[in-house]
Amino acid sequence: MKTILLLMISTCTLLSPDRSVNPEREALLDKVFELLEENVANPAWLESDTFKAFKQEMYSKEVLSMTDEDFLNHFRTRRFDLNFSHFDLHSTTFRKKLKVEQGEQAVMSWKPLNEQVAYLNVNTFVTDGSPMEEMISEIGTDHYKHLIIDLRNNGGGSLDAPVILGRFLTQQPIDAGVYLTRSWFLNRGRSATAEDVQKMPFLQDFTYQGIGKMFAEQEAFRMVLPPHQQPIYKGKVFVLVNENTASACEPLIDLLKKEGIATLVGSSSAGAMLSGKWFQVNENYKVFIPISDYQTADGDRLDKKGVQPDIKVDPNQALDYVLSELIN
């Protein structure tokens, strides 16, 4: 009997995480996964084998024994294997260190490459709409025959600037898809159908604050930009994309491609199109959690799928390719 009892104790010990390895790390992970389970857009995502394996790995002795910096890097690398995006962990200490090492980068900038070509480099959409308003005002609607928009390595951000850029390129209405919150999935447990979409309220305020208000008040909503009569850019448009073109970039490039407004050049985009929100874990860490799913107007999901370019080339050579092969 004693032998059987000892074997049972040994088996339980092997199956349970070693909570003596790093109690602080375990407490951090406990809180991270608690916040994720309480706020993730679709709770079904957490039932996948990939997520369960990821979670188990984070509690492994090997990961618990890592230094803080190695743990953070490991977490942020392994999250890309999950079946959903927009799950991230940031440390105040290491984020400050990274900013110092990388330096400050301009949100966006533009320059003429020659008399006929304007080059707009958009490093991030983590901004309000004012920088984009300034850029397109300086570029103008008819000064240049060609406009190259560089979205390579643009990880997204808010929708303020993409909306302004989209309306600079077309006067037609833009059906930018639908957003489904946690309430939607808790109440219905499925994606939206074409019939569902027709009943959804329309987003009226396209600012960061306006979108946040819709997330808080509606279980789902449509984003349709109305037609307008303001002057638009009249030349040919080329958009450079790569595997790091993500999030708020992806509905924009998907629409530009489908509507024939621009030619996408480079490689497939990141396939990271959900809407997320930061949650404070403790004084040193915060976690980014996807609080809303996204479907295009056609019902497609871009998350973990991405947008294919019209012309596939090495992204590092995309600008040279446009200048040498597509512009004449």
Side-chain angles (χ1 to χ4, degrees), residues 169-227:
L169 301 178
T170 180
Q171 293 176 327
Q172 300 304 310
I174 299 176
D175 193 337
V178 300
Y179 293 82
L180 311 174
T181 71
R182 181 181 177 87
S183 295
W184 172 274
F185 288 103
L186 289 177
N187 293 334
R188 303 168 190 259
R190 58 173 174 79
S191 297
T193 65
E195 184 178 357
D196 292 328
V197 172
Q198 295 304 314
K199 300 175 183 177
M200 291 180 185
F202 286 82
L203 175 67
Q204 302 294 332
D205 180 356
F206 296 100
T207 65
Y208 177 81
Q209 292 77 13
I211 293 171
K213 189 171 187 291
M214 289 295 278
F215 281 141
E217 297 178 356
Q218 302 291 338
E219 65 174 22
F221 61 89
R222 295 181 68 183
M223 183 175 178
V224 179
L225 308 184

Side-chain angles (χ1 to χ4, degrees), residues 29 32-33 54 57-58 63 66 68-82 84-99 102 155 278 285-288 304:
L29 287 168
V32 166
F33 288 119
F54 170 84
E57 180 184 343
M58 291 304 109
V63 174
M66 290 178 178
D68 287 345
E69 187 167 4
D70 286 344
F71 160 71
L72 188 62
N73 289 333
H74 185 73
F75 184 103
R76 302 191 69 207
T77 299
R78 290 286 289 111
R79 70 193 167 100
F80 289 113
D81 296 331
L82 293 173
F84 58 92
S85 68
H86 284 60
F87 182 43
D88 198 3
L89 186 64
H90 277 201
S91 161
T92 304
T93 302
F94 295 121
R95 189 159 180 79
K96 287 179 180 177
K97 178 183 176 183
L98 190 62
K99 282 188 175 182
Q102 294 182 343
W278 286 108
Y285 285 91
K286 60 181 180 178
V287 62
F288 198 60
K304 311 306 289 188

Side-chain angles (χ1 to χ4, degrees), residues 8 14 23 27 56 60 64 98 117 124 158 160 167 207 246 270 282:
M8 291 176 61
L14 288 172
Q56 183 177 16
S60 69
L64 292 176
L98 190 62
V117 182
T124 180
S158 68
D160 304 49
R167 289 170 68 83
T207 65
N282 57 35

